[in-house]
Amino acid sequence: MKPSIRNIFIGVVIVIVLVFIIMRGDQLVELAETVQRGSIIPLILAVLTQLGKYYAQSWAYHFSFAAVGEKMSPRDTLPLVFGTFFMNTVAPSLNMAGATLVVDDARRRGIPGGKATSAALLMQMTIESGFMTIMIIGFIILEITGNLSPAWFLLGLVVVFLVAFMGGIMVVGRKSPATLVSLLHPVERLVNKVMMKFRKKELRPWAETAVASFGEAAGIIAHNPKTALKAFGCSIIASTCELAAFCLCGVAFGIHGAEALICGYVVATLFAMISITPQGVGVVEAAVVVLFNAYHVNSAAGMAAVLVYRGIVFWMPFLIGAVLIQRTKTFRGADQPEMKARKRIAGRGRAEELPAATEEGSAAATEEGSAASSMPQKDACDSRELSEKLK
């Protein structure tokens, strides 16, 4: 029996998880030892607030799809929250790799590709915007205290650029679709050239269709600003929950300076987004410890706090994502309710036509039988007439 695509995907996910555990398994051992040195109540609260972040993000996805006129319940979007984290960990890409999972899942639910892409872009915009709000506050604190590094400021500008770029795509698609089509045509030709080199068929022209969908979705969002603002509000709540988790990890190891904790969270999240390593593994820890040293935080306490925080925000969603990603339509396949409904209707139509067809067939058979039975009689009459003439 040939293995299904879904089973192959599951096998790939298991292999990836095992590779990460083998490569970074020492962190799990170190994490278990470090947790024992901290206060247990703040750490439990940190886990709960971090889970609250993912729940808030599931509602943000819900409102993002509602803003483009499509329905996705928070129960359906929660696996996407963890699945996108898993995808962004496996393929670091400024948190954009997970957007492909969201679009594919939505398309398999019957949502048009343009609307699905627009909802994914809106969701990513709200995530970046929610963090950007806290980031600006953190940068102001760093500037006042004289600890704002030019490198960190440049990383912050990357976040601002991403938000502006994603918003600009939909705005240009609405205001000047011809401009966006002209920008996408070279990409379309490049993709087709690559496909032809690998002896694949060219993709259907998609630039005009995608731009039209972007423009339509942007118009829907413009007519539903309250829904888009709800998505933005949920993302701010999600970022606030994660900030609270970071602060609680610091409190668990005796770090109580609000400035150090807020700025530490900003730096940790920035390096997790921008770093070339999966979710900034190894880079985030070093950057946060450097920042803590600028605020004269004990190195041992700072390292312990960031290790536990990274364990909560990396290993917990990574392992949960490896399980819940299999509940997405990308792995389970599309239910395609519309297609099933059409098949049922077609089936009923055929069932209704069957008696009529049977009756027609019976009538035809009867006529053929009558014709066949009349043929011997006709032949007999012809024979008698011939014999009389010969006499």
Side-chain angles (χ1 to χ4, degrees):
M1 182 177 180
K2 294 183 179 180
S4 65
I5 298 297
R6 181 173 181 270
N7 291 335
I8 294 174
F9 281 161
I10 293 173
V12 171
V13 169
I14 293 174
V15 170
I16 291 173
V17 172
L18 291 176
V19 168
F20 268 86
I21 291 176
I22 293 172
M23 293 179 60
R24 308 301 304 180
D26 55 331
Q27 280 193 348
L28 292 174
V29 177
E30 191 175 3
L31 175 64
E33 296 174 350
T34 306
V35 167
Q36 297 176 3
R37 300 199 301 266
S39 300
I40 190 64
I41 294 178
L43 293 178
I44 293 175
L45 292 175
V47 172
L48 294 176
T49 53
Q50 186 66 20
L51 289 174
K53 172 206 171 179
Y54 304 128
Y55 184 69
Q57 283 187 335
S58 69
W59 278 95
Y61 270 113
H62 165 73
F63 288 122
S64 294
F65 278 97
V68 297
E70 298 293 338
K71 184 177 180 181
M72 285 272 280
S73 68
R75 184 180 63 182
D76 294 327
T77 58
L78 187 60
L80 290 177
V81 172
F82 290 98
T84 53
F85 182 91
F86 184 85
M87 291 293 294
N88 290 330
T89 302
V90 174
S93 56
L94 299 178
N95 285 346
M96 294 301 293
T100 59
L101 176 67
V102 177
V103 174
D104 185 70
D105 180 272
R107 286 176 61 253
R108 290 172 184 269
R109 294 176 186 272
I111 297 175
K115 285 189 174 183
T117 304
S118 298
L121 283 174
L122 177 60
M123 177 61 190
Q124 196 62 40
M125 282 174 58
T126 62
I127 291 175
E128 310 294 356
S129 300
F131 168 69
M132 187 174 67
T133 303
I134 297 177
M135 180 190 71
I136 292 173
I137 296 173
F139 278 0
I140 292 173
I141 296 173
L142 284 171
E143 179 64 25
I144 293 173
T145 57
N147 294 310
L148 181 59
S149 168
W152 297 341
F153 180 74
L154 291 176
L155 289 177
L157 289 180
V158 173
V159 177
V160 175
F161 172 77
L162 285 175
V163 174
F165 176 75
M166 288 182 287
I169 287 178
M170 286 194 284
V171 172
V172 174
R174 180 68 176 175
K175 300 294 184 181
S176 180
T179 302
L180 188 56
V181 169
S182 63
L183 293 174
L184 290 178
H185 271 156
V187 179
E188 185 180 68
R189 289 193 293 269
L190 177 61
V191 171
N192 284 330
K193 286 182 180 179
V194 173
M195 296 290 288
M196 292 300 293
K197 285 187 177 181
F198 286 96
R199 296 182 179 179
K200 301 290 184 179
K201 294 182 179 179
E202 290 187 359
L203 296 176
R204 295 179 181 177
W206 52 264
E208 290 81 359
T209 305
V211 171
S213 299
F214 286 155
E216 180 185 357
I220 296 174
I221 293 171
H223 286 89
N224 296 283
K226 291 183 179 180
T227 307
L229 287 175
K230 287 178 182 178
F232 176 68
C234 288
S235 291
I236 288 184
I237 293 172
S239 293
T240 304
C241 287
E242 192 168 60
L243 171 62
F246 185 91
C247 294
L248 286 167
C249 288
V251 170
F253 292 94
I255 304 173
H256 300 283
E259 295 177 356
L261 291 172
I262 293 174
C263 296
Y265 166 73
V266 170
V267 170
T269 308
L270 271 176
F271 276 89
M273 291 171 55
I274 308 300
S275 175
I276 59 173
T277 62
Q279 295 296 325
V281 173
V283 179
V284 171
E285 293 82 353
V288 175
V289 169
V290 170
L291 178 111
F292 278 163
N293 287 336
Y295 283 97
H296 308 290
V297 175
N298 181 273
S299 298
M303 179 59 73
V306 71
L307 281 177
V308 174
Y309 169 74
R310 291 292 292 164
I312 294 173
V313 302
F314 177 79
W315 285 110
M316 182 174 72
F318 178 75
L319 296 176
I320 295 175
V323 176
L324 291 188
I325 196 174
Q326 299 173 37
R327 292 185 55 190
T328 62
K329 295 297 181 184
T330 300
F331 275 73
R332 296 176 63 184
D335 290 340
Q336 296 181 339
E338 295 182 0
M339 293 297 294
K340 289 185 176 181
R342 290 177 183 175
K343 288 181 179 179
R344 286 197 295 270
I345 293 172
R348 286 198 297 268
R350 285 194 296 269
E352 292 173 356
E353 293 173 359
L354 184 60
T358 304
E359 291 175 2
E360 292 176 359
S362 300
T366 303
E367 292 176 358
E368 290 177 0
S370 301
S373 61
S374 63
M375 286 179 66
Q377 296 176 0
K378 183 179 181 182
D379 292 342
C381 294
D382 293 341
S383 299
R384 284 196 297 270
E385 290 178 359
L386 182 61
S387 60
E388 291 177 357
K389 288 181 180 180
L390 289 174
K391 290 179 181 179

